[in-house]
Amino acid sequence: TTTISKMNCLLNIGLMAAVLSALSATAFAFQTQDGSARHRQTCLCLASTNGGVDRSAAASSEVVSPLSDITRVAVTGATGRTGRFVVERLLSQGVSVLAMVRDEEKAKETFDPTNSLLTIRKVDLSSKEDVINALGQNNCDAAIWAATGFSDNPDQSFFTKIAAVFGFATNAQGSIDAIGLPALGEGLANTPKRSIDGAPLPKVVMLSSAGVTRPDWNQEKKSELEGCAGIPIVRLNPFGILGIKKESEEQLRSCGVEYAIFRPTGLNDNWGANQRPIFSQGDVAVGRINRVDVAKILVEILSTPEATGKTFEAFTIANSAENYYPPAESIGPALSGLSPDSEGVNEEVVRSTYAVLQQLLPGEKQTADQLAMGQTYEQLDADEEGRLGKKGEENLELVEMGPSSKASL
């Protein structure tokens, strides 16, 4: 059994300070029992662009992934607020897409139905048979699970929307994550292997969520890592939605298909797009990321062998006006230092990662555990109450699941 002797002071305290002040790469090293150094990069490429959301960025060709080996990519949640960016980016790279949707008419309004690369199909993600048939009949050899799906209906209450999404109120068979995601894995498990220079590529990429493991941490760990364990969505965890995502991740890992699981932090449409992500493991990341950048990462994962068999989180950092820190050309170098799920993540590395990432939170106070549900970092800094009320007294019936949310939950 490998034992950890001593972290090299996060590559020494002086280096860490320089890295943080310069917004450069951060890596951690630790020694194995035989003295060999093992390096696991947990934060890389800190930067972003300022300004509002550029929807066209999702379809830009500035980063073209080598996806020529793919016949067709299935995208679940294709008309959702993240899924539509995924579809647009794939199409912009000349990749054929099967848009798995609940509402074909909405899909035809969202996308150009005359695009020869796009196939729109109504699929019941709570039906294993329907999902597998759709994959086979459309010759899909890869898939992106983007069905995170809250309803956009403003007339529904917060709890009704969550119940509808995860099957508590409307689907006696269980949540779509628990059925549809493993079905994707099963349907693609026996298709030809994908690889680059012999290195396997993911067939199924799952859009999950940061925070899914935190409700299950013991009290000691929650206390030590309160800055990420005490954020609103973890503290409240309505209907146990984080646990559902965690269970779905576990099912994907066990279904025998090459996979990658991406856990973005708070999705925020008002946070600048086309920024540089910070990747980490251990489920300790807290921050913001635009859906355009989430879609960009999901698509790039398909052509990144360094992502295969791994679970990781990411948020983005605001860029300087001089654009000193544009997005890296490839996410591969950042992901290459992360641990495969089969090896697990060392707890000392997790705590060291947490210590660094907490210094990169938005705002001045940098106390994410003090946020109320629906309160922004900026409101916390100004001692202003969020739209749902004080921490511990939030009125969740006021939650609006519209296309934009400023709060990082």
Side-chain angles (χ1 to χ4, degrees), residues 344-409:
V345 182
N346 178 270
E347 281 299 313
E348 287 190 45
V349 173
V350 170
R351 283 162 170 75
S352 298
T353 302
Y354 168 81
V356 173
L357 296 189
Q358 284 289 293
Q359 300 177 64
L360 303 178
L361 288 171
E364 297 175 350
K365 292 186 176 179
Q366 296 188 316
T367 50
D369 57 299
Q370 297 303 309
L371 287 167
M373 179 78 85
Q375 184 183 32
T376 67
Y377 291 98
E378 293 75 17
Q379 288 174 324
L380 183 65
D381 287 343
D383 294 321
E384 296 175 359
E385 190 173 300
R387 72 182 190 278
L388 304 181
K390 297 178 181 179
K391 178 184 176 182
E393 302 176 10
E394 297 96 334
N395 183 357
L396 298 185
E397 285 293 316
L398 296 178
V399 171
E400 296 178 1
M401 307 307 294
S404 175
S405 173
K406 295 182 181 180
S408 294
L409 305 180

XYZ file of all heavy atoms in Angstrom, residues 344-409:
501
model
N -8.174 6.485 -7.571
C -8.654 7.321 -6.485
C -7.793 8.554 -6.314
O -6.768 8.729 -6.977
N -8.221 9.450 -5.419
C -7.500 10.695 -5.169
C -7.058 10.722 -3.717
O -7.862 10.491 -2.809
C -8.395 11.922 -5.469
C -7.618 13.213 -5.254
C -8.920 11.859 -6.903
N -5.789 10.999 -3.496
C -5.241 11.022 -2.148
C -5.841 12.166 -1.346
O -5.941 13.295 -1.817
C -3.723 11.157 -2.218
C -3.075 11.226 -0.860
O -2.914 12.314 -0.327
N -2.737 10.069 -0.305
N -6.222 11.916 -0.101
C -6.895 12.916 0.720
C -5.990 14.096 1.073
O -6.462 15.216 1.234
C -7.445 12.272 1.994
C -8.752 11.511 1.784
C -9.873 12.418 1.296
O -10.068 13.507 1.868
O -10.556 12.044 0.321
N -4.698 13.865 1.193
C -3.800 14.985 1.454
C -3.763 15.932 0.258
O -3.702 17.152 0.404
C -2.391 14.471 1.776
C -2.262 13.840 3.154
C -0.807 13.570 3.498
O 0.050 14.461 3.260
O -0.523 12.470 3.983
N -3.790 15.356 -0.930
C -3.825 16.169 -2.136
C -5.141 16.951 -2.199
O -5.156 18.121 -2.568
C -3.657 15.292 -3.391
C -3.860 16.116 -4.660
C -2.284 14.624 -3.408
N -6.238 16.299 -1.813
C -7.538 16.971 -1.817
C -7.511 18.194 -0.909
O -7.969 19.280 -1.288
C -8.652 15.994 -1.369
C -9.965 16.737 -1.142
C -8.847 14.902 -2.413
N -6.972 18.042 0.279
C -6.945 19.169 1.220
C -6.011 20.274 0.760
O -6.275 21.463 0.967
C -6.574 18.656 2.618
C -7.744 17.965 3.319
C -7.319 17.102 4.477
N -8.463 16.653 5.253
C -9.319 15.698 4.871
N -9.139 15.111 3.689
N -10.339 15.349 5.626
N -4.928 19.899 0.116
C -4.023 20.910 -0.417
C -4.673 21.649 -1.588
O -4.534 22.872 -1.716
C -2.715 20.258 -0.878
O -2.038 19.646 0.204
N -5.368 20.910 -2.407
C -6.098 21.525 -3.518
C -7.132 22.505 -2.991
O -7.264 23.630 -3.489
C -6.804 20.441 -4.360
O -5.838 19.510 -4.856
C -7.548 21.050 -5.528
N -7.861 22.090 -1.974
C -8.878 22.953 -1.361
C -8.270 24.257 -0.870
O -8.828 25.347 -1.093
C -9.535 22.200 -0.206
C -10.403 23.048 0.705
C -11.703 23.372 0.339
C -9.918 23.511 1.929
C -12.503 24.149 1.176
C -10.702 24.279 2.765
C -11.998 24.597 2.387
O -12.788 25.364 3.209
N -7.117 24.176 -0.217
C -6.480 25.364 0.351
C -6.148 26.384 -0.731
O -6.269 27.598 -0.527
C -5.218 24.974 1.116
N -5.730 25.901 -1.900
C -5.410 26.803 -2.997
C -6.682 27.343 -3.653
O -6.825 28.545 -3.890
C -4.528 26.101 -4.040
C -4.333 26.999 -5.264
C -3.174 25.740 -3.445
N -7.631 26.458 -3.940
C -8.830 26.877 -4.664
C -9.665 27.877 -3.879
O -10.328 28.736 -4.476
C -9.690 25.655 -5.014
C -9.070 24.632 -5.960
C -10.111 23.599 -6.381
C -8.460 25.295 -7.191
N -9.639 27.803 -2.551
C -10.400 28.753 -1.757
C -9.883 30.185 -1.943
O -10.628 31.145 -1.762
C -10.356 28.368 -0.280
C -11.250 27.187 0.073
C -12.729 27.542 0.017
O -13.224 28.334 0.818
N -13.441 26.966 -0.929
N -8.626 30.327 -2.319
C -8.067 31.654 -2.562
C -8.474 32.217 -3.921
O -8.210 33.380 -4.214
C -6.540 31.598 -2.470
C -6.028 31.139 -1.115
C -4.527 31.036 -1.086
O -3.831 32.031 -1.234
N -4.020 29.831 -0.899
N -9.109 31.405 -4.730
C -9.497 31.821 -6.076
C -10.994 32.041 -6.201
O -11.515 32.172 -7.313
C -9.036 30.763 -7.087
C -7.534 30.466 -7.066
C -7.199 29.376 -8.060
C -6.724 31.713 -7.350
N -11.704 32.093 -5.081
C -13.140 32.342 -5.114
C -13.431 33.751 -5.611
O -12.640 34.673 -5.420
C -13.740 32.185 -3.715
C -13.841 30.772 -3.156
C -14.253 30.833 -1.687
C -14.843 29.956 -3.953
N -14.587 33.968 -6.237
C -14.986 35.330 -6.604
C -15.196 36.187 -5.352
O -15.399 35.675 -4.247
C -16.316 35.117 -7.345
C -16.309 33.689 -7.769
C -15.547 32.958 -6.706
N -15.164 37.506 -5.533
C -15.467 38.413 -4.434
C -14.291 38.669 -3.519
O -13.196 38.129 -3.685
N -14.534 39.495 -2.503
C -13.494 39.899 -1.558
C -13.492 39.066 -0.286
O -12.443 38.751 0.265
C -13.688 41.377 -1.196
C -13.538 42.312 -2.392
C -13.843 43.752 -2.044
O -14.346 43.987 -0.921
O -13.591 44.639 -2.871
N -14.670 38.724 0.197
C -14.735 37.964 1.454
C -14.292 36.526 1.278
O -13.759 35.915 2.208
C -16.158 38.020 2.018
C -16.567 39.410 2.490
C -17.923 39.388 3.178
C -18.275 40.772 3.729
N -19.599 40.790 4.390
N -14.553 35.954 0.115
C -14.138 34.588 -0.193
C -14.592 33.592 0.871
O -13.812 32.777 1.357
C -12.620 34.529 -0.381
C -12.128 35.347 -1.580
C -10.660 35.129 -1.884
O -9.831 35.109 -0.988
N -10.337 34.956 -3.154
N -15.849 33.703 1.223
C -16.440 32.781 2.206
C -17.710 32.196 1.601
O -18.820 32.603 1.921
C -16.769 33.508 3.523
O -17.531 34.705 3.217
C -15.506 33.891 4.264
N -17.534 31.229 0.718
C -18.668 30.667 0.000
C -19.674 30.011 0.938
O -20.873 29.971 0.637
C -18.181 29.652 -1.031
N -19.216 29.515 2.076
C -20.123 28.856 3.007
C -21.062 29.849 3.697
O -22.032 29.436 4.338
C -19.344 28.079 4.063
C -18.370 28.956 4.830
O -17.466 29.513 4.190
O -18.511 29.086 6.061
N -20.792 31.148 3.557
C -21.672 32.156 4.151
C -22.779 32.599 3.188
O -23.655 33.371 3.564
C -20.861 33.374 4.585
C -19.844 33.077 5.680
C -20.503 32.484 6.916
O -21.474 33.034 7.438
N -19.979 31.355 7.390
N -22.736 32.120 1.951
C -23.750 32.484 0.973
C -25.092 31.859 1.319
O -25.169 30.707 1.770
C -23.350 32.008 -0.420
C -22.227 32.754 -1.143
C -21.776 31.945 -2.349
C -22.707 34.136 -1.574
N -26.161 32.622 1.089
C -27.505 32.063 1.112
C -27.849 31.601 -0.296
O -27.264 32.080 -1.268
C -28.510 33.115 1.584
N -28.775 30.671 -0.405
C -29.243 30.271 -1.727
C -29.802 31.503 -2.434
O -30.596 32.254 -1.880
C -30.339 29.205 -1.607
C -30.906 28.750 -2.937
S -29.829 27.578 -3.789
C -30.339 26.015 -3.030
N -29.330 31.756 -3.668
C -29.807 32.901 -4.423
C -29.041 34.177 -4.170
O -29.356 35.219 -4.750
N -28.009 34.131 -3.327
C -27.202 35.313 -3.038
C -25.898 35.242 -3.827
O -25.276 34.176 -3.940
C -26.887 35.398 -1.541
C -26.137 36.651 -1.121
C -25.800 36.640 0.367
O -25.574 35.578 0.959
N -25.785 37.811 0.977
N -25.467 36.344 -4.402
C -24.225 36.372 -5.153
C -23.051 36.712 -4.246
O -23.222 37.227 -3.141
C -24.290 37.425 -6.281
O -24.359 38.737 -5.700
C -25.510 37.205 -7.174
N -21.853 36.448 -4.734
C -20.654 36.829 -4.000
C -20.595 38.342 -3.825
O -20.151 38.848 -2.791
C -19.403 36.352 -4.751
C -19.223 34.854 -4.764
C -19.618 34.092 -5.867
C -18.639 34.194 -3.680
C -19.438 32.720 -5.894
C -18.453 32.816 -3.699
C -18.858 32.091 -4.809
O -18.689 30.726 -4.824
N -21.043 39.063 -4.846
C -21.028 40.519 -4.787
C -21.985 41.037 -3.716
O -21.674 42.005 -2.998
C -21.382 41.100 -6.152
C -20.346 40.843 -7.239
C -20.343 39.424 -7.781
O -21.339 38.692 -7.560
O -19.355 39.027 -8.417
N -23.135 40.411 -3.591
C -24.078 40.807 -2.536
C -23.515 40.490 -1.163
O -23.692 41.261 -0.216
C -25.413 40.086 -2.743
C -26.219 40.605 -3.918
C -27.465 39.785 -4.178
O -27.472 38.556 -4.010
N -28.546 40.445 -4.572
N -22.826 39.373 -1.039
C -22.210 39.015 0.231
C -21.163 40.048 0.628
O -21.106 40.476 1.789
C -21.579 37.626 0.131
C -20.941 37.063 1.404
C -21.989 36.835 2.480
C -20.201 35.758 1.100
N -20.360 40.478 -0.335
C -19.345 41.495 -0.054
C -19.976 42.798 0.417
O -19.426 43.496 1.275
C -18.503 41.773 -1.307
C -17.540 40.640 -1.618
O -17.283 39.817 -0.723
O -17.039 40.587 -2.757
N -21.151 43.145 -0.142
C -21.818 44.405 0.188
C -22.786 44.270 1.353
O -23.527 45.212 1.662
C -22.565 44.931 -1.038
N -22.808 43.100 1.990
C -23.721 42.826 3.099
C -25.176 43.013 2.671
O -26.021 43.476 3.450
C -23.412 43.730 4.299
C -22.054 43.420 4.909
O -21.694 42.235 4.986
O -21.344 44.377 5.286
N -25.477 42.628 1.413
C -26.836 42.707 0.909
C -27.487 41.328 0.935
O -26.840 40.310 0.683
C -26.839 43.233 -0.532
C -26.325 44.650 -0.689
C -26.243 45.076 -2.137
O -26.568 44.244 -3.015
O -25.854 46.240 -2.399
N -28.757 41.307 1.221
C -29.513 40.056 1.266
C -29.796 39.560 -0.147
O -30.054 40.350 -1.058
C -30.825 40.284 2.020
C -31.601 39.016 2.342
C -32.794 39.311 3.235
O -32.573 39.827 4.350
O -33.935 39.059 2.791
N -29.729 38.267 -0.344
C -30.043 37.691 -1.648
C -31.533 37.664 -1.919
O -32.352 37.958 -1.046
N -31.892 37.271 -3.127
C -33.293 37.336 -3.544
C -34.193 36.325 -2.839
O -35.419 36.443 -2.877
C -33.404 37.150 -5.056
C -33.134 35.743 -5.569
C -33.212 35.663 -7.095
N -33.187 34.314 -7.595
C -32.097 33.592 -7.778
N -30.921 34.114 -7.463
N -32.153 32.374 -8.249
N -33.591 35.335 -2.186
C -34.395 34.312 -1.518
C -34.418 34.474 -0.010
O -35.041 33.675 0.687
C -33.888 32.910 -1.867
C -33.829 32.567 -3.356
C -33.329 31.148 -3.555
C -35.188 32.752 -4.005
N -33.737 35.519 0.494
C -33.730 35.746 1.929
C -32.407 35.396 2.561
O -31.415 35.081 1.896
N -32.373 35.460 3.888
C -31.148 35.227 4.647
C -30.766 33.748 4.648
O -31.603 32.871 4.449
C -31.328 35.698 6.089
C -31.595 37.196 6.227
C -31.798 37.569 7.687
C -32.094 39.049 7.837
N -32.316 39.440 9.255
N -29.484 33.510 4.899
C -29.007 32.142 4.999
C -29.760 31.401 6.101
O -29.912 31.899 7.211
C -27.508 32.135 5.313
C -26.932 30.725 5.480
C -25.466 30.761 5.874
C -24.943 29.342 6.136
N -23.539 29.340 6.576
N -30.253 30.232 5.776
C -31.021 29.436 6.714
C -32.491 29.752 6.731
O -33.286 29.024 7.333
N -32.878 30.836 6.018
C -34.280 31.235 5.962
C -34.744 31.411 4.514
O -35.722 32.102 4.243
C -34.483 32.549 6.724
C -34.069 32.482 8.187
C -34.184 33.829 8.875
O -34.756 34.762 8.270
O -33.704 33.960 10.020
N -34.054 30.777 3.575
C -34.369 30.962 2.157
C -35.771 30.477 1.810
O -36.226 29.431 2.290
C -33.359 30.211 1.277
C -31.930 30.709 1.400
C -31.106 29.893 2.372
O -31.700 29.292 3.300
O -29.887 29.859 2.219
N -36.455 31.244 0.976
C -37.761 30.873 0.448
C -37.552 30.261 -0.926
O -37.482 30.957 -1.936
C -38.670 32.091 0.349
C -40.073 31.737 -0.129
O -40.369 30.575 -0.442
N -40.946 32.724 -0.197
N -37.457 28.943 -0.981
C -37.134 28.268 -2.235
C -38.256 28.341 -3.254
O -38.047 28.111 -4.438
C -36.777 26.803 -1.955
C -35.551 26.597 -1.061
C -35.219 25.119 -0.959
C -34.356 27.369 -1.584
N -39.466 28.672 -2.824
C -40.568 28.817 -3.773
C -40.353 30.017 -4.700
O -41.017 30.137 -5.728
C -41.893 28.973 -3.024
C -42.412 27.680 -2.420
C -42.811 26.662 -3.481
O -43.463 27.051 -4.467
O -42.459 25.483 -3.334
N -39.425 30.908 -4.349
C -39.175 32.085 -5.171
C -38.134 31.832 -6.248
O -37.854 32.704 -7.061
C -38.695 33.254 -4.298
C -39.692 33.775 -3.260
C -39.041 34.889 -2.444
C -40.955 34.287 -3.950
N -37.542 30.639 -6.245
C -36.497 30.346 -7.220
C -37.073 30.364 -8.618
O -38.106 29.760 -8.893
C -35.849 28.975 -6.938
C -34.922 28.591 -8.074
C -35.090 29.026 -5.632
N -36.404 31.058 -9.523
C -36.787 31.084 -10.927
C -35.709 30.368 -11.721
O -34.551 30.734 -11.664
C -36.916 32.518 -11.433
C -38.036 33.296 -10.745
C -38.100 34.733 -11.224
O -37.296 35.089 -12.099
O -38.948 35.476 -10.723
N -36.099 29.374 -12.469
C -35.131 28.589 -13.240
C -35.079 29.133 -14.655
O -35.295 28.440 -15.633
C -35.518 27.109 -13.234
C -35.730 26.536 -11.855
S -34.353 26.792 -10.732
C -33.123 25.799 -11.504
N -34.858 30.417 -14.797
C -34.791 31.032 -16.110
C -33.448 30.787 -16.758
O -32.609 30.043 -16.266
N -33.186 31.449 -17.913
C -31.955 31.197 -18.662
C -30.717 31.788 -18.033
O -29.627 31.562 -18.486
C -32.235 31.855 -20.020
C -33.217 32.937 -19.707
C -34.071 32.382 -18.607
N -30.868 32.596 -16.992
C -29.707 33.256 -16.411
C -29.826 33.303 -14.898
O -30.868 33.601 -14.354
C -29.570 34.680 -16.963
O -28.527 35.356 -16.331
N -28.727 32.992 -14.246
C -28.700 33.096 -12.799
C -27.368 33.664 -12.371
O -26.313 33.203 -12.802
C -28.893 31.711 -12.154
O -28.706 31.786 -10.767
N -27.386 34.693 -11.545
C -26.149 35.341 -11.117
C -25.535 34.661 -9.898
O -24.386 34.883 -9.576
C -26.409 36.817 -10.794
C -26.820 37.620 -12.004
C -27.010 39.077 -11.629
C -27.448 39.911 -12.825
N -27.648 41.346 -12.462
N -26.313 33.869 -9.209
C -25.800 33.251 -7.992
C -24.959 32.047 -8.307
O -25.247 31.289 -9.227
C -26.967 32.842 -7.091
N -23.907 31.852 -7.561
C -23.098 30.640 -7.673
C -23.501 29.724 -6.540
O -23.123 29.921 -5.405
C -21.607 30.985 -7.601
O -21.201 31.732 -8.701
N -24.284 28.720 -6.867
C -24.772 27.817 -5.856
C -23.908 26.572 -5.753
O -24.107 25.778 -4.891
C -26.218 27.433 -6.172
C -27.177 28.613 -6.353
C -28.559 28.114 -6.646
C -27.178 29.488 -5.112
